[in-house]
């Protein structure tokens, strides 16, 4: 009797449990994996049926009935659901919120999977005078150009909203002239047609890597450990072709959106179709379409950032994680998952290979290789004959640096300018200066709401807090002693100013999140950088990742010392990764690359090791140190964070947790803290943390499983905001 069935529903609320409902009246029973609309308190929410049950623990009088089923068939398969519930268990996060993270907004809010959409279709005849139109009605011409670019495919209204604000008026004018047509089209997905174009012949290392993956039956985890420019993408392409030819789908995860256009167009050129893409700068409808096409397998290749790891792909045959070391694969709020780790889990459950590519593999991944769980495939030389860049130190203890740039670095830039080469200056600090200090008494301008210094933004004549966004005018006088306030240290803005003074004829381009706020700014800037029109690039790590700038032959690392004495056990690994990655932008074509590293501590052993043995040497040392000190990857960590307006509330929450964990008496569990978080106060809230450490993952998870419901019920804990971070990457 289907009427006696109970639906167990995951609802997008911060509660770690499922909710029971009676099935909707007079309707077919919603299958497991389908969405239902349910009453929830005074609201109506969209939930997902996770189980059918015979009975509920709730008294029948309290059981409510679901309003309606939203899908005839399951939206998520049993496989998809099992990955989500794994993520929910592993990261100790409510399943309802995990499901929500896996669905595009349109589906989360109850829209149908297939729905009609408004589309604009080009009907342009051959004799339209575009030039004349451009003079009279530039907005109409812009719209026409956009439609022509996409033709014969129509463009939907949602995409136009994103690309061309205020497109409707010019579209109506064009319609009245008979140049375009408005249509309502039912969504119907056409399968991608694969038409591959041959790439370069693989070199021996690339061929060996491809063979290793192809030769694996079922699951296998591979680390493609290839220096920058070694042809990792070529290896991916061959493996993708193999999977596509076997009628399988491929999932490629990439760190950041800035990288995606280049990679996507390279894939498109070689495979003959446009890969489906999933990332944050798409419209909701584009995201919905890409998700749906992946789910019905008409999309053969999906390239996406972090959350794409959850996208249903019934024919999945290969998973690739490019730039595995990148931090953006770990979500730092709400569901704190690692997309890289989930990619491996997903591949394992689907019994397909997964490839993790990087020039600087994380120690976690290298350790898996040591243990024999992952297989390491090396590409030790650059493909296509380019030489590796050479690294040199500039001793800042003997050289004066004006606004951050030393004389040797200046001369090297000059040489580049004379020979037509491009320079990249890397400094992971935006703004003009990180500190405003009184030249008389040493008073430093701080944020009123955070335990942090204000950053000087000279162009806007403002002090800004990079943690909470607070802004105020620059103090000219010290509030303590009326001395003169001066900027101390340098950010990208200051470098840019200095370069303009020193090289007035050079074209300098600053790329950081301040200068790249406008839509499309990043694409324009990258195009200018690639073409070589920009002589000097100044940027934060936005500029260090994955890009290929053909003319770039000098990289200056302006301040490498921040990471040298970091308190985090990952400092050395991170510093080496960021230097090697940014250095890898240099000399990717004919011109050999030089990297100048400015440091006030040239004697620090880190440098000798990096220059002699490169990233592998640093990684080897760091692994040995971590083993001795008992840090990951040799132990497992979880971090319990708490914040509150009153410090004692956050502290009490963590003391409560600590007491509970102590009561458990797990021998192999260490509990450290509570201590202040590295940023002890942010936006007016005090932040503390408690670190859980164990050599055994099971112990850690048992402890968290026991702790979580206790915290959820505790009145003490409720006075603070708390969260659990499993495998945290930001600790100190
Ligand atoms: P990575 O992804 O490791 O940075 P890419 O795949 O982008 O490296 O390759 C770097 C450059 O070398 C690209 O211009 C690419 O076209 C070229 N390349 C890669 N493999 C080969 C090969 N086997 N022969 C010639 N050129 C190659
Ligand atoms: Zn602040």
């Amino acid at each position: 009797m289907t009427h006696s069935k109970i639906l167990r529903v995951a609802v997008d609320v911060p509660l770690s449990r499922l909710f029971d409902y009676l099935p909707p009246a007079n309707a077919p029973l919603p299958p497991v994996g389908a969405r239902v609309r349910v009453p929830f308190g005074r609201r109506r929410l969209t939930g997902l049926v996770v189980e059918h049950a015979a009975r509920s623990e709730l008294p029948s009088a309290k059981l409510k009935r679901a309003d309606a089923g939203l899908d005839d068939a399951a939206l998520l398969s049993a496989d998809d659901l099992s990955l989500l519930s794994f993520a929910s268990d592993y990261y100790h996060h409510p399943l309802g919120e995990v499901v929500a993270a896996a669905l595009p907004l349109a589906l989360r809010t109850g829209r149908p999977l297939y729905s009609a959409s408004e589309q604009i279709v080009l009907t342009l005849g051959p004799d339209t005078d575009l030039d004349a139109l451009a003079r009279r009605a530039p907005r109409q011409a812009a719209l026409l150009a956009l439609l022509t670019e996409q033709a014969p495919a129509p463009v939907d209204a949602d995409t136009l909203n994103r690309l061309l604000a205020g497109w409707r008026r010019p579209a109506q004018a064009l319609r009245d002239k008979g140049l375009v047509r408005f249509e309502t089209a039912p969504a119907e997905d056409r399968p991608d047609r694969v038409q591959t174009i041959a790439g370069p012949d693989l070199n021996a290392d690339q061929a060996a890597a491809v063979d290793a993956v192809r030769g694996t039956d079922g699951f296998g985890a591979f680390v493609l450990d290839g220096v920058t420019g070694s042809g990792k993408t070529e290896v991916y392409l061959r493996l993708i072709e193999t999977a596509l030819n076997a009628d399988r789908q491929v999932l490629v995860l990439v760190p950041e959106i800035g990288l995606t256009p280049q990679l996507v167009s390279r894939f498109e050129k070689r495979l003959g179709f446009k890969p489906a893409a999933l990332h944050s700068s798409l419209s909701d409808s584009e995201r919905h379409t890409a998700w749906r096409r992946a789910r019905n397998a008409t999309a053969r290749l999906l390239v996406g950032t972090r959350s794409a790891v959850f996208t249903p792909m019934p024919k999945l045959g290969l998973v690739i994680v490019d730039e595995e070391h990148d931090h953006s694969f770990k979500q730092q709020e709400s569901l704190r998952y690692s997309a890289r780790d989930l990619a491996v889990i997903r591949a394992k459950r689907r019994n397909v290979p997964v490839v993790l590519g990087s020039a600087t593999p994380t120690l976690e991944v290298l350790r898996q290789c040591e243990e024999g769980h992952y297989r390491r495939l090396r590409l030790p030389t650059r493909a296509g004959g380019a030489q590796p860049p050479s690294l040199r130190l500039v001793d800042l203890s003997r050289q004066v640096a004006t606004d951050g740039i030393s004389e040797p670095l200046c001369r090297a830039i000059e040489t580049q300018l004379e020979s037509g080469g491009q320079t990249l200056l890397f400094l992971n600090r935006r703004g003009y200066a990180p500190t405003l200090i009184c030249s008389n008494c040493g008073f430093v301008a701080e944020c009123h709401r955070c335990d942090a210094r204000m950053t000087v933004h000279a162009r806007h004549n403002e002090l800004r807090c990079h943690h909470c966004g607070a802004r105020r005018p620059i103090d000219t006088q010290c509030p303590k002693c009326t001395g003169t306030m001066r900027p101390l240290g340098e950010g990208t803005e200051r470098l840019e100013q200095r370069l303009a003074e020193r090289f007035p004829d050079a074209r300098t381009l600053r790329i950081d999140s301040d200068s790249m706020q406008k839509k499309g700014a990043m694409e324009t800037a990258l195009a200018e950088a690639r073409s070589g029109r920009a002589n000097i690039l100044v940027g934060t790590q936005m500029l260090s990742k994955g890009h290929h700038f053909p003319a770039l032959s000098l990289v200056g690392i302006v301040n490498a010392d921040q990471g040298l004495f970091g308190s985090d056990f990952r400092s050395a690994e991170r510093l080496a990764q960021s230097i090697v990655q940014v250095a890898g932008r240099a000399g990717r074509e004919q011109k050999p690359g030089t990297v100048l590293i400015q440091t006030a501590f040239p004697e620090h052993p880190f440098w000798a090791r990096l220059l002699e043995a490169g990233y592998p040497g640093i990684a080897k040392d760091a692994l040995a140190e971590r083993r001795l000190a008992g840090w990951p990857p040799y132990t497992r960590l979880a971090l319990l964070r708490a914040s509150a307006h009153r410090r004692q509330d956050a502290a009490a929450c963590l003391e409560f947790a600590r007491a509970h964990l102590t009561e458990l008496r797990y021998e192999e569990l260490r509990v450290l803290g509570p201590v202040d978080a590295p940023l002890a106060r942010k936006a007016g809230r005090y932040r503390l943390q408690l670190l859980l450490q164990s050599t055994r993952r099971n112990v850690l998870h048992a402890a968290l499983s026991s702790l979580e419901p206790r915290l959820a019920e505790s009145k003490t804990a409720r006075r603070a905001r708390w969260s659990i971070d499993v495998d945290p990457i930001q600790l100190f």
Side-chain angles (χ1 to χ4, degrees), residues 135 441 450 527 602 617 669 695 710:
R135 280 192 298 276
C441 74
C450 306
L669 180 70
T695 46
R710 295 290 292 270

Side-chain angles (χ1 to χ4, degrees), residues 200-203 206 226-236 266 322-323 379 383-384 548 585 588-589:
D201 288 338
L202 297 183
N203 63 36
Q206 286 173 315
V227 300
T228 52
S230 59
K232 294 186 286 296
T233 312
E234 247 348 283
V235 172
Y236 302 154
R266 196 161 156 196
D322 190 28
E323 312 287 3
L379 307 179
H548 184 83
R585 302 309 113 219
R588 289 171 69 92
E589 297 204 347

Side-chain angles (χ1 to χ4, degrees), residues 111 115-122 143 146-147 150-165 167-168 171 181-189 282-290 292-293:
R111 289 244 305 262
S115 64
S117 71
E118 186 186 15
Q119 297 188 329
I120 318 303
V121 187
L122 195 67
L143 177 58
L146 202 154
L147 293 171
Q150 302 293 327
V155 179
D156 65 75
D158 228 48
T159 308
L160 287 174
N161 287 339
R162 183 172 59 83
L163 297 177
L164 200 70
W167 58 273
R168 203 168 273 279
R181 203 168 64 226
F182 285 56
E183 279 183 0
T184 323
E188 184 196 316
D189 300 318
L282 299 175
S283 70
D284 289 333
S285 125
E286 286 170 307
R287 245 197 303 266
H288 180 178
T289 306
R292 185 186 63 225
R293 293 191 64 241

Side-chain angles (χ1 to χ4, degrees), residues 226-281:
V227 300
T228 52
S230 59
K232 294 186 286 296
T233 312
E234 247 348 283
V235 172
Y236 302 154
L237 273 163
R238 298 302 165 104
L239 296 173
I240 292 169
E241 279 176 31
T242 309
L244 295 178
N245 289 336
D247 195 34
R248 308 294 289 268
Q249 288 174 289
V250 179
L251 170 65
V252 178
L253 297 179
V254 294
E256 237 142 298
I257 201 45
L259 295 177
T260 319
Q262 259 174 302
L263 194 70
V264 168
S265 68
R266 196 161 156 196
F267 284 170
E268 183 179 357
K269 270 189 207 122
R270 289 282 293 280
L271 302 170
F273 66 92
K274 204 183 191 67
L278 269 179
H279 52 74
S280 59
S281 48

Side-chain angles (χ1 to χ4, degrees), residues 418-572:
E418 281 159 10
S419 64
Q422 196 177 43
T423 299
L424 186 164
L425 290 193
F426 173 73
L427 177 61
N428 213 7
R429 215 153 49 186
R430 61 197 172 84
Y432 185 84
T435 303
L436 185 70
I437 189 168
C438 170
S439 49
N440 183 41
C441 74
F443 170 83
V444 167
E446 290 193 344
C447 177
H448 301 316
R449 307 169 67 219
C450 306
D451 279 348
R453 296 176 170 189
M454 296 296 274
T455 300
V456 182
H457 283 253
R459 183 162 298 190
H460 295 92
N461 210 13
E462 265 180 351
L463 294 176
R464 292 185 187 171
C465 173
H466 286 182
H467 301 286
C468 75
R471 296 173 178 203
R472 61 177 196 254
I474 294 179
D475 317 296
T476 44
Q477 268 192 354
C478 175
K480 288 265 156 68
C481 78
T482 71
T484 312
M485 296 295 283
R486 292 230 160 81
L488 179 71
E490 54 281 329
T492 45
E493 218 184 276
R494 191 170 201 166
L495 297 182
E496 184 188 28
Q497 181 193 304
R498 172 69 189 146
L499 291 165
E501 286 163 12
R502 177 75 193 245
F503 306 108
D505 299 328
R507 177 151 175 66
T508 299
L509 187 63
R510 172 162 62 94
I511 300 188
D512 57 28
S513 58
D514 294 322
S515 64
M516 295 294 123
Q517 279 189 344
K518 281 207 195 109
K519 253 184 205 172
M522 188 69 180
E523 284 79 36
T524 315
L526 288 179
E528 199 163 326
R530 271 199 299 276
S531 72
R533 273 196 306 280
N535 308 115
I536 309 177
L537 314 172
V538 178
T540 54
Q541 65 173 9
M542 266 183 138
L543 205 48
S544 72
K545 299 178 180 178
H547 305 294
H548 184 83
F549 305 131
L552 186 72
S553 37
L554 173 67
V555 166
I557 295 177
V558 175
N559 182 344
D561 295 340
Q562 285 162 301
L564 226 39
F565 303 101
S567 54
D568 195 315
F569 63 85
R570 286 194 175 91
S571 296

